[in-house]
Amino acid sequence: MLQLSRRQLLQATVMGGATLALASCSTAPVDDIDTSGPPKQGGTLRIGLVGGSSTDTVDAHVPTSTSDAARVINLYDALARRDDDYNLEYRLAEAIEPNADATEWTITLREGAQFSDGRPVRPEDVMFSYDRIRDPQDPKSGAASISHIDSMEVLDNRRLLIRLAVADAALVDSLAEYQMGIVPEDYDPEHPIGAGPFTLEDFTAGQSTTLVRNDNYWAGPAHLDAVRIIDFQEEDAMLNALLSSQVDAIGSLNHALARVIDEDPRLSTLISETGMWLPLTMRVDVAPFDDVRVRQAMRLAVNRQQMVDQVYSGQGQLGNDMFALYDEAYPRDFPQREQDVQKAKELLAEAGYPDGIEVDLVTSEIQSGAVRTAQVFAEQAREAGITVNIQQVDSSTFYASGNYLEYPLAQSFWYTRNFLQQVNQCATADSPFNETHWVREDFTQRVHEARAIVDKPEREARIRELQQELYDEGGYIIWGFANQVDAYHNYVVGLTPHPSGVPLSQAMFHKIWLAEA
C-alpha cells in the first residue's frame, strides 16, 4: 500500500502552486481508460481533503471536519440516509414507522445487517447508540435531535420501540443524519467497530486515514480494497497532489481552481447543487453584535451576488440569512436581502456608531472558500463604515477547545439539512454548536412545538415563523449556498452528484471502483 508523507504531498506548492502544476501537466497524454462493463474489483482509492486538524476523530458521534464526515460515513451506518435526490432511503432499518400522534416510533432493522466483526446489528445496539449520543454528562453531536426520547424497548430480535416525551413528526430526519451511526453495545472509539462499508486500519488526526473493505457490509462488499484519506492544510497542495497523481480524487475544490481541472484531459469535475452554507457567525450576546441593529447592518453590508461570484466563481445560489434551502418549508417568498450601504450606516448610527465600527473576524480554511469569504466580506463591509480585521488561524487552532464557539465574529460551514434538524444543531438553547449564542427559551419551545405537529402544512407554517425570526434578528450571515465541486482522475468510476454538500458523492466510497488504464 502506498504511504505518502506530508512532506511529499506538500512539495508541489513550493515552486509556485496550482499555476505551475497546470503548466507541468497540461501536455500529459490522455490515458486510454475503459470504464464500461461491470465494476472492477480491488485497488486503493486515495482521497485528498482540506481542513483536517489535530482535533479530528473516528468517533461515530462527534464528527466536525470534512474528513471526520468522510470517516464516519464509511465506518458506520445510520438507520436511514438521504439519497442522490435528497429523498430518505433506509439503511440499517427497513422500516421506521410512527403511531398516529408521532409519540411512538417502531424501528424494524434490516435482516442480516452485521457489524464489521460479524455480529448482528440488534435493537440493543440501537438503544446503546442513542443513549450514548444523548448522554447528559457527555452529549454528542446529535444529542439535541433525540433529547426528547423518553424510553426505548426491545420488541424482538429486529424491532425496537422508541417512546418520546413530546411528539416528533420529523424524527426519521434526525435518525438519518450521518453522526447518528449505529455502534455495538461494547463500542470503543479507540478501536471502532461499525456497520459501514469499511473498517479502520490506521488513523493519524490531521494527516491521514486508511480504511479497508468490510466484507460483512449489508449491501455487499465494496469494490475497493481500501480508501486512504489524506488531509491538506492548503487547497493548492491538495490540487497539486491530484495533478501529480499522488491522489486519485479531491473534495471541496475551490471554485476558482476548478478551471485547472478543465485544462487537464486526464481529469474531470463533479459538480453538485447543494444546501451547503459557509456563514459568518455573529455572537448575539456580546458587543457590538448584541444590538440587533448592528447585526442587520452587517447583513446589509454584503453584496451576495458578488460573494457567490467571487468565492464560488458563480457556482452557487444566493442566500437570504436562513438555512435549510432544501426543506420544503424554506420561505422562498421572503424578500431577497440585498446590499444597502446607506441603510447599514444609518443602523450603525442608531446603535451608537456614527463613525462606523471596527471588528475582528477569525477565519481558517475549514472549508473551501472560507478565507476568501472573509476577504471579500472585509472589502464589501468597508463601504458601510465597517472595518474588518481578519485574523487567520490554522484549523487546529480554530477548533481548539476554548476557541470554537467563543469567537464574537467568525465563520462556520454546514452541510445540507432540513430546518428542524439544522436548528437543533445550531440555534436552540441545547444546541451543541450554537455558534451565534442564539439562546431564546421561547424560540426553543416553539421549535419543539413545531416538531410535534403531525399535519405537514401546519408544521411548515410554524417553520416559516421560526425562519422569519432568524431572518429578522438572527446572528448568521448566510450569503449563499455552494455548488460542491470535486475533481478526480478519469479512472475513478461511480461518482454521482449529491445535494448533501459532503464531498465526493456524500463520501459513499463503497460505490466507487477504479478502472484499469
Side-chain angles (χ1 to χ4, degrees):
M1 184 178 298
L2 179 63
Q3 301 290 324
L4 300 174
S5 70
R6 297 284 293 168
R7 181 181 298 275
Q8 288 172 315
L9 291 170
L10 295 175
Q11 277 177 341
T13 58
V14 174
M15 297 301 293
T19 303
L20 178 62
L22 171 60
S24 66
C25 293
S26 59
T27 59
V30 180
D31 294 329
D32 183 14
I33 300 170
D34 180 13
T35 61
S36 64
K40 294 181 172 63
Q41 305 300 306
T44 297
L45 176 68
R46 301 162 301 169
I47 298 294
L49 298 172
V50 166
S53 73
S54 60
T55 62
D56 281 358
T57 182
V58 292
D59 192 312
H61 302 138
V62 290
T64 301
S65 69
T66 301
S67 54
D68 283 349
R71 277 184 289 274
V72 302
I73 286 170
N74 285 282
L75 289 172
Y76 311 99
D77 217 343
L79 297 182
R81 199 162 282 169
R82 293 282 176 176
D83 65 13
D84 289 351
D85 297 317
Y86 206 63
N87 296 318
L88 278 168
E89 64 175 4
Y90 288 128
R91 307 292 296 176
L92 294 180
E94 65 179 36
I96 305 175
E97 301 169 314
N99 64 356
D101 62 1
T103 56
E104 294 184 353
W105 288 75
T106 301
I107 296 167
T108 304
L109 294 176
R110 181 179 296 276
E111 187 171 6
Q114 298 179 352
F115 291 111
S116 57
D117 61 2
R119 288 181 290 171
V121 178
R122 307 166 305 144
E124 291 87 350
D125 301 310
V126 178
M127 291 174 57
F128 170 82
S129 300
Y130 293 162
D131 281 340
R132 182 175 190 267
I133 290 168
R134 66 194 186 104
D135 179 0
Q137 302 303 316
D138 184 20
K140 308 301 189 297
S141 300
S145 297
I146 58 171
S147 60
H148 55 316
I149 290 179
D150 183 56
S151 64
M152 293 180 280
E153 177 186 350
V154 173
L155 300 179
D156 56 39
N157 63 352
R158 288 178 53 211
R159 292 190 306 140
L160 169 74
L161 178 65
I162 296 179
R163 299 185 182 91
L164 304 178
V166 295
D168 184 356
L171 179 68
V172 67
D173 276 346
S174 298
L175 305 185
E177 297 286 343
Y178 63 78
Q179 71 268 25
M180 305 297 284
I182 304 305
V183 297
E185 274 191 289
D186 58 355
Y187 178 68
D188 176 4
E190 296 296 320
H191 305 282
I193 297 295
F198 294 90
T199 63
L200 184 68
E201 181 173 277
D202 63 65
F203 166 63
T204 302
Q207 296 186 29
S208 65
T209 308
T210 301
L211 309 173
V212 296
R213 182 176 55 233
N214 170 19
D215 290 328
N216 294 317
Y217 187 48
W218 64 266
H223 306 302
L224 299 164
D225 291 332
V227 174
R228 185 161 175 78
I229 301 169
I230 302 166
D231 296 301
F232 294 87
Q233 295 303 309
E234 302 291 340
E235 289 179 324
D236 278 4
M238 179 178 70
L239 176 58
N240 277 300
L242 180 72
L243 293 167
S244 60
S245 299
Q246 295 181 7
V247 297
D248 306 306
I250 57 177
S252 299
L253 181 64
N254 186 299
H255 298 70
L257 296 178
R259 63 182 178 80
V260 178
I261 304 301
D262 296 334
E263 298 294 330
D264 193 321
R266 304 169 305 153
L267 307 175
S268 296
T269 55
L270 176 68
I271 298 178
S272 306
E273 289 190 355
T274 79
M276 193 280 285
W277 45 297
L278 188 64
L280 296 153
T281 60
M282 301 176 288
R283 273 186 57 178
V284 302
D285 61 338
V286 298
F289 309 114
D290 55 349
D291 191 315
V292 66
R293 294 167 296 187
V294 173
R295 302 198 297 274
Q296 292 170 343
M298 296 282 284
R299 288 171 158 182
L300 290 171
V302 182
N303 182 325
R304 294 156 197 266
Q305 186 61 60
Q306 187 181 71
M307 289 283 275
V308 170
D309 290 342
Q310 294 193 14
V311 178
Y312 295 149
S313 297
Q315 288 277 2
Q317 304 172 72
L318 292 183
N320 206 19
D321 299 324
M322 297 176 291
F323 42 72
L325 179 66
Y326 277 69
D327 196 312
E328 293 181 26
Y330 184 82
R332 297 181 183 275
D333 58 330
F334 283 14
Q336 175 61 54
R337 188 160 282 143
E338 298 180 350
Q339 186 181 46
D340 190 334
V341 170
Q342 185 57 39
K343 181 62 174 176
K345 289 180 177 179
E346 292 173 2
L347 286 166
L348 289 176
E350 292 175 13
Y353 303 98
D355 299 321
I357 58 173
E358 183 172 348
V359 296
D360 295 332
L361 169 58
V362 181
T363 185
S364 177
E365 204 61 78
I366 55 175
Q367 175 74 348
S368 176
V371 173
R372 182 59 179 153
T373 296
Q375 295 167 341
V376 175
F377 174 71
E379 294 168 4
Q380 294 178 348
R382 189 179 301 114
E383 299 178 46
I386 303 169
T387 300
V388 178
N389 302 316
I390 295 177
Q391 298 181 352
Q392 184 173 348
V393 300
D394 61 52
S395 53
S396 293
T397 301
F398 186 89
Y399 284 123
S401 177
N403 291 342
Y404 178 55
L405 303 182
E406 299 303 320
Y407 304 116
L409 177 64
Q411 292 177 276
S412 183
F413 78 91
W414 291 93
Y415 295 130
T416 308
R417 286 182 173 87
N418 284 343
F419 178 82
L420 292 174
Q421 286 62 54
Q422 182 62 63
V423 76
N424 281 329
Q425 291 292 307
C426 69
T428 61
D430 51 358
S431 293
F433 305 112
N434 198 325
E435 301 146 328
T436 66
H437 291 226
W438 179 268
V439 181
R440 297 187 174 187
E441 293 298 337
D442 65 320
F443 182 89
T444 300
Q445 179 60 34
R446 284 183 284 124
V447 168
H448 294 328
E449 291 171 357
R451 291 168 63 178
I453 299 173
V454 175
D455 181 76
K456 183 179 178 183
E458 183 182 353
R459 183 171 68 251
E460 290 182 347
R462 294 290 187 92
I463 289 174
R464 285 174 56 85
E465 293 174 2
L466 295 164
Q467 287 274 40
Q468 181 79 60
E469 188 168 342
L470 295 174
Y471 175 79
D472 292 338
E473 301 181 26
Y476 279 120
I477 301 175
I478 304 173
W479 53 268
F481 298 92
N483 290 354
Q484 177 74 34
V485 179
D486 307 316
Y488 59 95
H489 278 272
N490 293 332
Y491 54 75
V492 178
V493 188
L495 292 168
T496 55
H498 197 285
S500 69
V502 179
L504 297 162
S505 302
Q506 204 184 21
M508 298 291 280
F509 298 141
H510 76 280
K511 301 185 298 183
I512 309 306
W513 56 280
L514 303 177
E516 294 178 359

